[in-house]
Amino acid sequence: EVQLVESGGGLVQPGGSLRLACADSGFTFSSVRMHWVRQAPGKGLEWLSSISALGSITYYADSVKGRFTISRDNAKSTLYLQLNSLKTEDTAVYYCARAKDGSYFIYDETSRGQGTQVTVSS
């Protein structure tokens, strides 16, 4: 069974940075578009970013554009999200997910891993 495992979260001060990782145990990672989404306390899932299979095309939500950077290393079957200039409102559980039907904006919620907690607080 394909599994996604997120890591890299933690407690960081406003203005700080973190790098999240998502390891994919499947055999088709290099051919699949991927997404990052998050869920803040008491809120629904928020789409953040997506990336093409080869990493040459990326999209971002307005809320994170210019602060977050998505990337991937297909040789390691790993997806990354670099979080810079973090704000308290970025506090959430962050998940990676596979694209649904190859979409850059629709993801397969059932493919998410357990998530990694990011807490931004002074």
Side-chain angles (χ1 to χ4, degrees), residues 18-40:
L18 282 174
R19 189 192 194 200
L20 308 184
C22 166
D24 188 339
S25 64
F27 296 105
T28 60
F29 178 81
S30 62
S31 62
V32 178
R33 295 171 181 171
M34 296 292 294
H35 296 254
W36 281 101
V37 302
R38 68 185 177 188
Q39 187 165 27

Side-chain angles (χ1 to χ4, degrees), residues 1 6-8 10 12 17 21 25 36 39 41 45-46 48 52 55 71 78 83 88 98-99 105 114:
E1 182 179 343
E6 301 91 343
S7 62
V12 62
S17 298
S25 64
W36 281 101
Q39 187 165 27
L45 287 169
E46 177 188 11
L48 299 177
S52 62
S71 63
T78 301
L83 285 61
T88 55
R98 291 179 162 233
F105 303 103
Q114 84 291 346

Side-chain angles (χ1 to χ4, degrees), residues 8-12 16-20 81-84 86 118-119:
L11 174 63
V12 62
S17 298
L18 282 174
R19 189 192 194 200
L20 308 184
L81 188 67
Q82 178 69 40
L83 285 61
N84 295 330
L86 282 162
V118 172
T119 302

Side-chain angles (χ1 to χ4, degrees), residues 11-117:
L11 174 63
V12 62
Q13 293 185 340
S17 298
L18 282 174
R19 189 192 194 200
L20 308 184
C22 166
D24 188 339
S25 64
F27 296 105
T28 60
F29 178 81
S30 62
S31 62
V32 178
R33 295 171 181 171
M34 296 292 294
H35 296 254
W36 281 101
V37 302
R38 68 185 177 188
Q39 187 165 27
K43 296 187 177 181
L45 287 169
E46 177 188 11
W47 176 83
L48 299 177
S49 182
S50 61
I51 189 168
S52 62
L54 297 181
S56 58
I57 300 172
T58 58
Y59 292 96
Y60 297 93
D62 288 343
S63 58
V64 304
K65 194 175 298 182
R67 300 189 299 123
F68 292 6
T69 302
I70 191 171
S71 63
R72 66 192 297 162
D73 184 338
N74 286 343
K76 296 181 179 180
S77 295
T78 301
L79 178 73
Y80 300 100
L81 188 67
Q82 178 69 40
L83 285 61
N84 295 330
S85 303
L86 282 162
K87 307 174 182 180
T88 55
E89 53 263 43
D90 293 319
T91 294
V93 178
Y94 285 69
Y95 302 92
C96 58
R98 291 179 162 233
K100 187 170 185 178
D101 298 327
S103 174
Y104 280 114
F105 303 103
I106 303 174
Y107 52 92
D108 180 1
E109 288 191 28
T110 64
S111 68
R112 290 180 293 149
Q114 84 291 346
T116 186
Q117 175 71 48

